[in-house]
């Protein structure tokens, strides 16, 4: 931990109206980000990780925060006036999105856009803002920043565009930078550059980072602490070493194992997780992971497990932890049946699948 | 299957071979198209896909991977070059003959929903290739579609459902069933698992592996996730700006990349162990891919290469194959000793 929490999200519950009824995208979500710390929220599609980020930014469009609080330096942002939120956004908390082309205005030069961000929050002349913009573009590693400041977004590569977005985000030296899949649209080589840039800037300015990602490689490289989400709920949290090296939750463990690693032989099958990510319109009963879990118990089908505090200041949501035998997961606990392809069982469990139907592939051998 | 998977002999005709494939796209500058130039999307690419094997194609975006795949199955007409499919000259074939050859090569695309017509049922989607190629009709078609669905882990109950009723992984299974409909020999997988959730991706990789084993399929496998390619591909082609810069046995290339670009690309793969991921500064390639309409002189990689010297800016290196290892790389540093290399 790096001191008192800068951001403290408690029991957040976010709902969205849809044609098929109201959907709870985030349920009972709690986490903190300390000053200067990097926290990664990791999850697959529909896990609620991006909705969490947008909630902190006050940018939920149709969705609404049903309950819970988001405290930034003690101030509850869920109760903040729109005017106050506009002040906080950009000045205190800034955000970098996945698609830089969508974040930039195609009609203005990038220098203008950085300068505009500065002038919204700082009382400086246009000339000063422009000069500061060039400085920022230099700091984010844009080659030839004086000339590049006069470029339009489409004249830059994807990596350069993302550097400009980062320059805008950092223009007012925010205490917290939220990055939602900032490198997902980029090539690995450019991803490496952008992640390194973000680490350098963080070290220079002491900015706290809230990283939203599905990529465990990015988590390993960036995060101090990790929050794993599944179907709108936190299933595990702890330090990056705890979560990636000794995952306690069956979902985290299975997810990590299903990532192709350099060690896996081409002649063996991947340890896949059966079924698919559940739709929020039709979340499974009990533990939301139970239809896909290799270690499912009767209880998991009926009752949702609480987020249990485990030794070492970490949490995991699983009934196994609350078994009479104490039940921490052994390091290699997934059973061998998993390593078969087993599409049959995969699709039997797909009745909880994403907007999906029961395929009932019982006849498949 | 027209070709039984056979033991590699080296002498056997590969199921697919492309020779010196070129695709130049004209680009117009200015309002009246004056000052036209060309983008060399694919510039002299050669490789073979042995029967029952997987060739992986890697490189940054814009390197020409997808165009190469589309040239190889003639969805895009090459500017020049040769495509030999099972020994037949694909570019010289016309009409019914071409259609017959095409039925033996299929594609699985990246976006499982985007590549399935939302207004068609699964029966129509998977059955359409059977209709186009006149393979079966009536009850026989229903039986064949059902069989295909079961092959990919779906069932006859899914016949009259629509794509949106399926999850991403299931939709990709439908795309694979459609590709299998005409009993192809080769399937082109262009980022076929990239849009899927990690927990679902492994299922589809396993499905592709099983189908390869059971049906003797050959794959041209394109993915930006290098660990996925490493898992799938027997042989690897590394592309940079429309050219193959390194080619060889996948394990050998991953273990010991020869070309400086391959070295940078592989070094950029993120590690999953927090202890090493932070300590190791992922090798950061200088700059980004230059504009394809104005490729650098000489070796196209010289602007980013840490080992570039004068000759690299003046003269394009040739892709040279080492007779001993069968590996190939295009780099002046490797010219003198086919075994040595920058390290």
């Amino acid at each position: 931990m790096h001191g008192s929490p800068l951001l403290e999200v408690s029991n957040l519950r976010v709902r969205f109206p849809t044609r098929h009824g109201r959907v709870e995208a985030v349920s009972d979500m709690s986490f903190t980000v300390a000053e200067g710390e990097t926290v990664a929220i990791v999850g697959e599609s529909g896990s609620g990780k991006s909705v969490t980020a947008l909630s902190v930014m006050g940018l939920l469009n149709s969705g609404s925060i049903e309950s819970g609080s988001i405290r930034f330096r003690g101030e509850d942002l869920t109760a903040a006036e729109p005017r106050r939120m506009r002040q906080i956004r950009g000045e205190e908390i800034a955000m970098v999105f996945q698609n830089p082309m969508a974040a930039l205005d195609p009609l203005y030069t990038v220098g203008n856009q950085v300068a505009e961000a500065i002038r919204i929050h700082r009382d400086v002349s246009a000339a000063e803002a422009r000069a500061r913009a060039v400085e920022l573009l230099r700091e984010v590693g844009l080659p030839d920043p004086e000339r590049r400041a006069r470029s339009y977004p489409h004249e830059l590569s994807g990596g350069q565009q993302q550097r400009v977005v980062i320059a805008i985000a950092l223009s007012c030296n925010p205490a917290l930078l939220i990055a939602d899949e900032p490198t997902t649209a980029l090539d690995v080589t450019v991803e490496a550059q952008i992640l390194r840039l973000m680490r350098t800037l963080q070290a220079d300015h002491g900015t706290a980072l809230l990283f939203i990602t599905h990529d465990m490689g990015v988590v390993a490289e960036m995060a101090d602490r990790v929050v794993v989400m599944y179907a709108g709920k936190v299933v595990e949290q702890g330090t990056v070493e705890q979560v990636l090296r000794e995952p306690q939750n069956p979902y985290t463990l299975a997810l990590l194992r299903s990532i192709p690693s350099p060690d896996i032989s081409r002649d063996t099958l991947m340890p896949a997780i059966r079924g698919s990510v559940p739709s929020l319109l039709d979340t499974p009963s009990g533990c939301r992971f139970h239809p896909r879990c290799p270690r499912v118990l009767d209880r998991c089908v009926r009752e949702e497990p609480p987020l249990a505090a485990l030794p070492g200041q970490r949490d995991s949501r699983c009934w196994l932890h609350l078994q009479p035998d104490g039940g921490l997961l052994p390091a290699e606990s997934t059973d061998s049946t998993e390593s078969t392809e087993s599409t049959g069982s995969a699709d039997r469990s797909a009745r909880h699948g994403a907007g999906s139907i029961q395929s009932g592939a019982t006849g498949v051998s | 299957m027209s070709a039984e998977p056979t033991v590699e002999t080296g002498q056997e005709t590969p199921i697919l071979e492309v020779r010196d494939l070129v695709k130049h796209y004209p680009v117009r500058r200015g309002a009246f198209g004056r000052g036209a130039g060309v983008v060399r999307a694919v510039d002299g690419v050669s490789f073979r896909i042995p029967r029952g094997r997987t060739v992986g194609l890697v490189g940054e975006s814009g390197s020409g991977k997808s165009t190469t795949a589309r040239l190889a199955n003639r969805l895009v007409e090459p500017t020049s070059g040769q495509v030999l499919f099972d020994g037949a000259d694909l570019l010289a074939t016309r009409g019914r003959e071409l259609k017959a050859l095409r039925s033996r090569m299929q594609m699985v695309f990246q976006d499982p929903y985007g590549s399935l017509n939302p207004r068609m049922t699964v029966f129509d989607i998977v059955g359409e290739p059977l209709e186009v190629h006149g393979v079966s009709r009536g009850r026989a078609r229903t039986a064949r579609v059902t069989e295909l669905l079961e092959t990919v882990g779906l069932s006859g109950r899914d016949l009259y459902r629509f794509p949106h009723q399926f999850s991403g992984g299931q939709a990709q299974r439908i795309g694979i069933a459609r590709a299998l409909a005409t009993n192809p020999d080769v399937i082109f997988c262009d980022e076929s698992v990239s849009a899927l959730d990690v927990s679902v991706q492994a299922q589809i990789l396993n499905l592709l592996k099983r189908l390869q084993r059971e049906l003797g399929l050959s794959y041209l496998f394109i993915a930006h996730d290098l660990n996925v390619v490493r898992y799938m591909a027997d042989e690897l082609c590394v592309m940079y700006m429309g050219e193959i810069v390194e080619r060889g046995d996948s394990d050998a290339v991953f273990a010991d990349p020869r070309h400086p670009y391959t070295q940078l690309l592989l070094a950029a793969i993120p590690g999953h162990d927090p202890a090493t991921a932070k300590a190791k500064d992922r090798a950061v390639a200088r700059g980004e891919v230059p504009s394809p309409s104005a490729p650098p002189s000489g070796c196209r990689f010289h602007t980013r290469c840490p080992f570039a010297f004068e000759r690299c800016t003046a003269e394009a290196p040739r892709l040279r194959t080492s007779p001993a290892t069968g590996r190939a790389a295009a780099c002046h540093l490797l010219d003198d000793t086919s075994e040595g290399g920058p390290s």
Side-chain angles (χ1 to χ4, degrees):
Chain A
M1 298 296 278
H2 296 240
S4 64
L6 177 70
L7 179 74
E8 186 171 12
V9 172
S10 309
N11 307 105
L12 184 68
R13 193 175 293 278
V14 183
R15 291 198 177 133
F16 284 85
T18 74
R19 275 192 303 166
H20 309 286
R22 278 152 67 81
V23 152
E24 195 163 288
V26 173
S27 308
D28 199 24
M29 166 85 175
S30 299
F31 68 96
T32 60
V33 183
E35 299 264 4
E37 186 185 32
T38 299
V39 175
I41 301 181
V42 60
E44 298 181 277
S45 53
S47 64
K49 57 190 191 301
S50 290
V51 170
T52 302
L54 292 173
S55 305
V56 175
M57 287 297 281
L59 291 175
L60 288 171
N61 268 335
S62 56
S64 58
I65 294 172
E66 295 294 310
S67 58
S69 65
I70 300 171
R71 291 188 182 280
F72 179 77
R73 290 196 166 127
E75 180 180 357
D76 188 356
L77 302 185
T78 62
E81 296 290 319
R83 189 192 164 94
R84 173 69 186 136
M85 272 317 290
R86 278 199 298 278
Q87 198 179 7
I88 290 172
R89 265 197 305 267
E91 196 161 337
E92 308 268 10
I93 309 177
M95 189 156 175
V96 174
F97 297 89
Q98 176 173 345
N99 182 353
M101 202 53 198
L104 296 170
D105 189 326
L107 297 179
Y108 293 88
T109 63
V110 297
N112 256 328
Q113 295 184 57
V114 180
E116 184 193 13
I118 297 167
R119 295 199 71 192
I120 287 171
H121 294 286
R122 299 273 186 274
D123 186 21
V124 294
S125 71
E128 283 172 299
R130 255 200 311 277
R132 175 85 186 108
V134 171
E135 272 322 295
L136 278 163
L137 292 175
R138 189 189 315 281
E139 196 179 344
V140 296
L142 205 65
D144 197 1
E146 286 88 357
R147 195 170 64 84
R148 280 297 180 199
R150 294 192 297 273
S151 299
Y152 290 89
H154 77 271
E155 298 176 292
L156 304 181
S157 70
Q160 290 172 339
Q161 288 169 2
Q162 198 62 296
R163 287 175 195 271
V164 173
V165 173
I166 292 170
I168 291 172
L170 294 178
S171 61
C172 294
N173 208 2
L176 175 65
L177 179 63
I178 302 177
D180 189 355
E181 305 268 10
T183 57
T184 304
L186 305 173
D187 282 311
V188 277
T189 48
V190 181
E191 173 182 86
Q193 295 172 2
I194 295 292
L195 293 181
R196 183 159 85 167
L197 170 69
M198 294 184 79
R199 282 213 307 270
T200 310
L201 294 172
Q202 181 183 30
D204 292 352
H205 299 268
T207 318
L209 263 176
L210 180 59
F211 228 94
I212 313 296
T213 184
H214 71 282
D215 187 331
M216 290 295 184
V218 171
V219 172
E221 192 163 334
M222 300 297 288
D224 300 318
R225 284 191 305 119
V226 186
V227 179
V228 183
M229 291 187 80
Y230 185 77
K233 297 243 172 184
V234 173
V235 294
E236 179 157 13
Q237 59 182 338
T239 66
V240 67
E241 287 83 9
Q242 287 171 337
V243 174
L244 295 197
R245 300 178 109 174
E246 293 160 350
Q248 296 296 311
N249 191 278
Y251 170 65
T252 317
L253 180 64
L255 186 67
L256 287 167
R257 287 166 55 104
S258 65
I259 301 168
S261 79
D263 313 319
I264 185 157
S265 156
R266 262 197 292 289
D267 302 326
T268 60
L269 290 176
M270 292 285 304
I273 307 179
R274 63 192 176 190
S276 40
V277 177
S279 159
L280 293 171
L281 285 166
D282 182 22
T283 45
S285 63
C287 171
R288 293 179 178 191
F289 186 57
H290 89 258
R292 309 178 70 194
C293 184
R295 306 202 54 194
V296 60
L297 312 167
D298 290 342
R299 191 175 191 182
C300 308
V301 183
R302 298 187 312 266
E303 275 179 272
E304 173 160 44
L307 193 63
L310 305 181
Q313 293 202 314
R314 59 187 302 190
D315 306 310
S316 170
R317 188 186 296 278
C318 182
W319 282 121
L320 287 172
H321 306 313
L322 304 165
Q323 288 289 94
D325 58 11
L328 281 192
L329 287 174
E332 288 296 317
S333 62
T334 33
D335 37 279
S336 54
T337 53
E338 253 197 317
S339 55
T340 63
E341 195 216 345
S342 72
T343 50
S345 63
D347 289 295
R348 266 199 299 283
S349 65
R351 58 179 160 268
H352 296 295
S356 70
I357 48 165
Q358 184 181 3
S359 307
T362 42
V364 180
S365 53
Chain B
M1 290 293 99
S2 57
E4 285 299 308
T6 46
V7 181
E8 275 297 303
T9 59
Q11 295 302 313
E12 186 199 30
T13 323
I15 188 65
L16 186 82
E17 176 169 9
V18 303
R19 290 183 189 160
D20 222 7
L21 216 47
V22 172
K23 181 65 188 179
H24 289 175
Y25 287 103
V27 283
R28 292 183 185 82
R29 296 195 184 85
F32 298 99
R34 273 175 293 206
V38 291
V39 166
R40 297 160 184 269
V42 172
D43 213 9
V45 161
S46 305
F47 61 87
R48 315 163 154 217
I49 308 180
R51 290 169 201 273
R53 309 278 280 178
T54 301
V55 172
L57 218 49
V58 300
E60 288 164 287
S61 46
S63 59
K65 308 185 293 288
S66 293
T67 308
T68 299
R70 279 151 206 258
L71 293 172
N73 62 16
R74 215 179 156 188
L75 282 178
V76 174
E77 210 60 37
T79 307
S80 66
Q82 227 185 350
V83 180
L84 298 173
F85 181 80
D86 202 6
D89 185 349
L90 186 71
L91 301 178
T93 19
R94 301 268 175 279
R96 200 169 295 180
E97 217 183 328
L98 176 62
K99 196 167 148 184
L101 284 182
R102 273 200 171 137
S103 75
R104 296 170 57 192
M105 41 176 120
Q106 295 293 329
M107 260 185 119
V108 176
F109 298 91
Q110 173 168 5
D111 178 355
Y113 297 108
S115 55
L116 302 177
N117 187 332
R119 296 173 182 224
M120 282 165 74
T121 62
V122 170
F123 173 72
D124 292 331
I125 290 169
V126 179
E128 194 171 40
L130 299 173
E131 187 181 334
V132 170
H133 293 284
V135 182
S136 63
R137 52 181 65 238
R139 203 174 294 170
R141 186 178 298 166
T142 312
R144 174 72 178 137
V145 172
T146 306
E147 184 196 6
L148 287 163
L149 292 180
E150 286 172 358
T151 305
V152 298
L154 299 172
S155 86
R157 280 188 249 172
D158 299 322
L159 276 177
Y160 301 106
R161 291 175 170 143
F162 290 90
H164 74 268
Q165 295 176 285
F166 294 86
S167 68
Q170 290 172 321
Q172 200 58 303
R173 289 178 193 268
I174 297 169
I176 293 169
R178 174 178 61 188
L180 294 176
T182 57
N183 279 325
D185 298 294
V186 180
I187 295 186
F188 296 82
C189 300
D190 190 354
E191 302 278 9
S192 305
V193 297
S194 308
L196 303 176
D197 275 311
V198 181
S199 71
V200 176
Q201 174 179 282
Q203 291 172 13
I204 300 298
L205 293 177
N206 286 347
L207 173 63
L208 291 171
K209 286 260 179 184
R210 177 167 65 78
L211 294 172
Q212 179 164 48
R213 202 174 54 230
E214 290 174 2
L215 306 173
L217 293 170
S218 309
Y219 294 128
L220 182 67
F221 193 88
I222 299 175
H224 65 269
D225 184 331
L226 295 164
N227 282 326
V228 169
V229 178
R230 174 173 6 210
Y231 174 61
M232 293 300 288
D234 303 297
E235 288 173 39
L236 195 68
C237 297
V238 182
M239 291 191 71
Y240 187 74
M241 296 199 77
E243 297 175 328
I244 289 179
V245 296
E246 181 156 6
R247 193 176 60 205
D249 174 77
S250 175
D251 289 328
V253 175
F254 272 105
D256 174 29
R258 296 282 165 79
H259 195 282
Y261 177 64
T262 314
Q263 293 172 356
L264 277 175
L265 195 63
L266 300 190
I269 302 176
H272 289 154
D273 184 347
T276 50
K278 284 199 189 61
K280 159 188 151 196
D281 224 347
R282 268 153 83 182
V284 174
R286 277 193 287 165
E288 295 175 30
V289 184
S291 163
S293 60
S297 63
C299 172
R300 291 179 188 179
F301 186 58
H302 85 254
T303 53
R304 301 170 74 192
C305 183
F307 308 107
F309 58 109
E310 300 95 279
R311 188 175 167 198
C312 306
T313 59
E315 185 191 334
R318 291 182 58 83
L319 186 69
R320 288 173 183 241
T321 307
S322 152
T325 61
R327 292 184 56 180
C331 178
H332 290 311
L333 288 168
L334 300 165
D335 269 7
D336 305 325
T337 58
S338 55
E339 292 308 305
S343 49

